[in-house]
Amino acid sequence: MSARILAVELRRSSAPVVGALIAALGVAGLWSVVMSNQGELWDVQWTMLAGFQRIMLVLLWPLALGSGAWQARRDRRSGMEELLGTTPLPTWRRTLPTAVALALCLILGYVVTLAAGAVRVAGRTDYLSTDWLPVTAVGALTLVAAGWLGMGIGRLVPSVYTPPVLVVAGFLVLLLPVQLSKSSEPGAISLLAPNLTTDFDEFTTIVGSVSLAQSLWFTGLAGSGLLLLMVARRRTALVAPVPALLGLVVAVPLLSAAPASGLQRDPGASAEVCTHDGGPTVCVTKAHEQGLADLVGPARRALKSLAKLPDAPTSVHEVTGDRPGPQPANQVWLHSDNYVPGRGWAAESEDALVVDILAGAGTRPCEPIAYGARAVAGAWLYGRYPAPGQTILPGEEARARDAAWRELKALPAQEQVRRIDAVREAELTCRGDLDAVLAKGAS
């Protein structure tokens, strides 16, 4: 296949239109989420951008499948099918340039979508790993597989109804694992779908063996589509499923050995980045490194407030939800949910951020979360109730919190210290009823 023939296909086939449509829908999907103030679903991390593109394949993959079938009908639409069938040129020589052109345009459309999202992600994180590369590469490969499979089916069944039927059927098939993931834990079979169906965040990545298995499966599927397109006789199309079956046989054991969700925590994103300026240590996760400078001042103010407790902590650490306890007594833990990439710490002011750090006497909340006791402890350490950022609608919870505050302040100063210290001890190990601990000073 010469470059000249490929250039002709790129000019005259529908491949560029399909690629442009994939790019337009992909970019629209990304930025419609941003316009609805939900950009944090993909714009906070490179891996999340790559993963969100894979989620959008629930729409893009069926479109590529139908577009391939439409492209395969070109000879019939132009009335050239019988004429071209009489030429001595092998079928694969005539169809391969068209297939390559479609693959290139589909990949280009996917890359354009990635580039449109990268403009936003680049300004929201300093953490750049290579985990997003295989996720993106597999996504592009799935589109090629869809396009070639559609071309193969379109040549085998050259009906005008084949493209729309494939679009609808492809969408329904991909929608099934999405619905199953809402009611149960997805399994290995759902990982055979091109689109992702599980939730993830900036500390999550796709397991490497899952990406490998998916690449083998979709390479086989693409090979089967290409064989369907290139076979000279319909009866020889019986061998076309062989590449897909081989890919499936190799992929399923790999997927079965991986976590059911196909995801794992990214140790690089959750690694600590700390201050080294001689003052009390303040650490954030690598994924939230941009927020370190804004956290240092409030964190050290919180440590000064905590110094009134016995064996007071000496450092502040941002932690993710999966970090195991118990919390070390010499550390203050601030949950990573308090940071919004691109916007900074979620507190409305620096004082409110100090209060967030002081909540629960500098501890990460335990389940079930005792919001009232944690808020009272934070307000006591801050020195004012309600403390900045602590707002609650009037009602039973507000009355209970007010009563706990009045009861605490009515005690002798030494007893107040003991009660707050007991709250901290209980939350460090996640043991005991925190409301009872605040009321009695013991778990």
Side-chain angles (χ1 to χ4, degrees):
M1 181 182 64
S2 67
R4 181 181 62 83
I5 296 176
L6 181 60
V8 170
E9 286 292 339
L10 289 173
R11 287 198 309 269
R12 296 185 178 180
S13 71
S14 61
V17 176
V18 175
L21 186 58
I22 292 292
L25 291 178
V27 173
L30 289 179
W31 287 92
S32 63
V33 172
V34 174
M35 297 295 288
S36 60
N37 295 319
Q38 300 182 74
E40 64 275 4
L41 292 175
W42 63 266
D43 67 4
V44 301
Q45 182 61 277
W46 292 99
T47 308
M48 290 185 69
L49 170 60
F52 196 81
Q53 275 194 273
R54 293 284 298 277
I55 290 176
M56 291 193 297
L57 286 175
V58 72
L59 296 176
L60 301 182
W61 201 86
L63 177 63
L65 186 68
S67 298
W70 174 264
Q71 177 64 43
R73 295 190 69 256
R74 180 179 62 175
D75 294 345
R76 173 162 292 198
R77 287 197 307 272
S78 60
M80 298 284 291
E81 187 176 31
E82 292 186 7
L83 177 61
L84 292 174
T86 61
T87 63
L89 194 66
T91 302
W92 70 269
R93 289 281 301 274
R94 291 188 288 107
T95 55
L96 184 60
T98 306
V100 172
L102 180 62
L104 289 176
C105 290
L106 287 172
I107 293 173
L108 183 59
Y110 200 71
V111 171
V112 168
T113 302
L114 177 71
V119 173
R120 187 172 176 88
V121 176
R124 281 168 167 71
T125 180
D126 291 328
Y127 175 61
L128 178 61
S129 73
T130 57
D131 288 347
W132 64 274
L133 291 173
V135 180
T136 300
V138 171
L141 174 61
T142 66
L143 284 180
V144 174
W148 286 359
L149 183 62
M151 290 185 73
I153 296 174
R155 183 170 182 269
L156 194 65
V157 187
S159 168
V160 68
Y161 300 108
T162 300
V165 167
L166 286 181
V167 171
V168 174
F171 175 72
L172 293 177
V173 168
L174 297 189
L175 199 61
L176 180 60
V178 175
Q179 296 301 318
L180 290 176
S181 67
K182 295 179 180 179
S183 57
S184 62
E185 185 73 13
I189 299 301
S190 68
L191 295 177
L192 292 173
N195 56 309
L196 296 181
T197 60
T198 51
D199 296 329
F200 53 92
D201 56 28
E202 64 264 44
F203 302 106
T204 305
T205 186
I206 296 179
V207 180
S209 60
V210 172
S211 292
L212 174 61
Q214 290 175 336
S215 65
L216 293 173
W217 157 236
F218 284 105
T219 297
L221 197 62
S224 291
L226 209 55
L227 280 179
L228 276 178
L229 179 65
M230 292 180 177
V231 291
R233 297 179 179 86
R234 289 193 175 187
R235 60 189 175 189
T236 57
L238 294 174
V239 301
V242 172
L245 291 175
L246 289 176
L248 189 63
V249 168
V250 177
V252 169
L254 290 173
L255 295 177
S256 300
S261 64
L263 305 178
Q264 66 181 5
R265 303 304 287 178
D266 182 356
S270 56
E272 286 193 329
V273 179
C274 302
T275 57
H276 300 283
D277 57 0
T281 301
V282 180
C283 302
V284 297
T285 59
K286 181 65 177 178
H288 296 167
E289 186 177 2
Q290 289 186 345
L292 179 58
D294 293 333
L295 181 63
V296 172
R300 290 175 176 171
R301 283 178 56 190
L303 289 174
K304 288 182 180 180
S305 298
L306 285 161
K308 63 185 74 172
L309 299 179
D311 300 322
T314 57
S315 60
V316 176
H317 300 258
E318 181 201 2
V319 296
T320 58
D322 66 330
R323 181 165 176 176
Q327 176 179 337
N330 65 342
Q331 295 181 5
V332 172
W333 280 8
L334 178 65
H335 199 286
S336 58
D337 285 349
N338 287 277
Y339 186 80
V340 180
R343 302 178 189 175
W345 299 98
E348 59 190 30
S349 65
E350 182 175 310
D351 288 339
L353 181 55
V354 173
V355 174
D356 285 345
I357 300 170
L358 292 174
T363 57
R364 183 178 62 177
C366 301
E367 295 291 343
I369 302 176
Y371 293 101
R374 290 181 57 82
V376 169
W380 185 88
L381 288 163
Y382 183 80
R384 192 176 80 200
Y385 176 83
Q390 291 184 347
T391 57
I392 183 171
L393 296 175
E396 183 177 347
E397 184 179 348
R399 289 191 293 271
R401 193 178 297 188
D402 293 342
W405 172 259
R406 290 193 301 269
E407 181 180 339
L408 178 65
K409 293 298 290 183
L411 297 170
Q414 196 70 17
E415 179 61 16
Q416 293 181 37
V417 173
R418 192 180 76 84
R419 298 281 181 95
I420 299 301
D421 188 53
V423 168
R424 176 170 171 79
E425 290 294 330
E427 287 286 79
L428 287 176
T429 56
C430 289
R431 294 179 180 176
D433 183 341
L434 205 60
D435 291 321
V437 170
L438 180 63
K440 299 179 181 179
S443 60

